[in-house]
Amino acid sequence: MSVLVVLLIIAALVGGVIWNKRNAGAAMSGVQFSVPATADVVTGALRNAYCRSGAKSLARSMVSGITVAETGGYAFRIDTKLGDNAEIVVSDNGGGASLVTARTNELYVGSHPSSHFSSGLMAIGAVMTHNIFKLLGITPSAARLKRFQCGVESRVLKELQRAPRA
């Protein structure tokens, strides 16, 4: 019975590492979609959805741990509390349409810093966990960034529907 439990634990760990690697790969490759609006309009929709200093954007940033800042032109920088960074770039696709690309540039590898303790046995365990995460290449925010990138299209389309028609 104990052998079965050990095998199940090992299978769960291997499955978790594979799942994390797939999420990291999806986050690094990003998403790309076309929007039937000009780049200026799409940039405004992204600004309204993520960068406005209102209570809704602030609450979304606090809950998700992701902040979005406009970097100028048609580009936005995405940062997480762990130090991951990504970008959203809007480009003209011709014919009044825009191409939006959201991709991750860098993912933090290792255990979450809040689990790092300063002394005692907990510190030894935290260091061992962090080193195992680094050895296996586990990225704690990969799934969060993947979900965020997948939600950009629906968020932009929702903001474009809300925008007043000219």
Side-chain angles (χ1 to χ4, degrees):
M1 182 66 173
S2 62
V3 173
L4 180 63
V5 171
V6 170
L7 289 175
L8 288 174
I9 290 172
I10 291 172
L13 290 172
V14 169
V17 170
I18 291 171
W19 175 77
N20 184 267
K21 294 287 186 182
R22 285 185 182 168
N23 282 331
M28 292 300 279
S29 62
V31 296
Q32 190 173 26
F33 56 91
S34 182
V35 179
T38 64
D40 289 329
V41 173
V42 174
T43 302
L46 282 166
R47 190 181 308 115
N48 287 339
Y50 296 111
C51 299
R52 198 180 326 156
S53 60
K56 191 183 233 183
S57 295
L58 182 62
R60 186 179 302 120
S61 173
M62 288 176 62
V63 169
S64 69
I66 296 175
T67 57
V68 180
E70 191 171 9
T71 59
Y74 299 127
F76 295 84
R77 180 179 170 90
I78 304 165
D79 293 306
T80 66
K81 293 177 182 178
L82 289 179
D84 307 310
N85 67 57
E87 65 183 356
I88 300 173
V89 178
V90 181
S91 58
D92 188 25
N93 200 17
S98 298
L99 186 66
V100 179
T101 305
R103 67 175 171 268
T104 302
N105 298 326
E106 183 179 352
L107 286 170
Y108 172 80
V109 177
S111 63
H112 195 283
S114 67
S115 66
H116 301 176
F117 296 95
S118 60
S119 63
L121 289 176
M122 294 298 281
I124 294 170
V127 168
M128 288 173 54
T129 302
H130 181 68
N131 288 333
I132 289 170
F133 273 40
K134 285 175 69 174
L135 177 70
L136 296 175
I138 296 175
T139 54
S141 294
R144 178 182 298 153
L145 281 169
K146 182 187 84 166
R147 277 191 310 271
F148 177 83
Q149 290 171 351
C150 291
V152 169
E153 182 176 9
S154 63
R155 202 84 179 114
V156 167
L157 294 175
K158 189 181 290 185
E159 285 295 325
L160 289 175
Q161 289 174 350
R162 287 184 190 162
R165 308 252 184 236

